[in-house]
Amino acid sequence: MTKPSLLERLLIALGVLPFVILFALLATGMVRTYRNLTGSMDPTSSIGDRMIAMRTGSVHRGDIIVFDYPLQPGVVFAKRLVAVGGDTVEIRSKQLFVNGETVVEPYAVHLDPTIYVASPTLPEPYRSRDHFGPYEVPAGTFFVLGDNRDRSSDSRYWGVVPGENLRGRVVLLFSLSRGFRRL
């Protein structure tokens, strides 16, 4: 058996390096893994997908964040961050507006073509699903929505996420069918 060349050893090392880095980040707590248990983020993240989240206090509109569910601490949710403290959120006929501007959301899906009329007499989830706000997001909080908009329990129904509930920002998704995907 011949000894691997320098180039072959270098390629092996480069192939192993990402796994060594990921292991080190997991061991230090800088990143954590979570498993998606609901369909609220379909098609971005399907049931059973693994999410790798980096601990950070710096998140931006459009990020998928992981946080403690405000109504049941210890239960972890992952949703799309659509507005931060000081922003005004509104949904009209399933279209998201932040600070009066239309938000282009290629990741959002609406599987039900029905648009319920804006009426305070409608029961939830129909009242807030297709029409919401305007609502000013309080300072230090986040307004989140699931990408599967017609089938998501999110800020439209239970309110904003306090900043102290933030666990991190999802940076990688992994599924057996689609492999690793960077966000």
Side-chain angles (χ1 to χ4, degrees), residues 99-118:
N99 300 324
E101 300 289 324
T102 303
V103 179
V104 177
E105 301 181 286
Y107 41 77
V109 296
H110 299 277
L111 300 177
D112 181 357
T114 304
I115 296 178
Y116 294 98
V117 296

Side-chain angles (χ1 to χ4, degrees), residues 96-165:
L96 176 65
F97 296 84
V98 175
N99 300 324
E101 300 289 324
T102 303
V103 179
V104 177
E105 301 181 286
Y107 41 77
V109 296
H110 299 277
L111 300 177
D112 181 357
T114 304
I115 296 178
Y116 294 98
V117 296
S119 171
T121 61
L122 273 177
E124 291 295 7
Y126 310 105
R127 180 175 56 242
S128 301
R129 187 187 84 169
D130 303 332
H131 299 277
F132 180 87
Y135 173 78
E136 186 173 335
V137 180
T141 66
F142 307 112
F143 194 93
V144 296
L145 296 172
D147 286 357
N148 186 355
R149 295 290 159 82
D150 295 334
R151 304 209 187 279
S152 176
S153 173
D154 50 42
S155 289
R156 294 173 289 183
Y157 308 110
W158 42 257
V160 295
V161 177
E164 59 268 15
N165 287 29

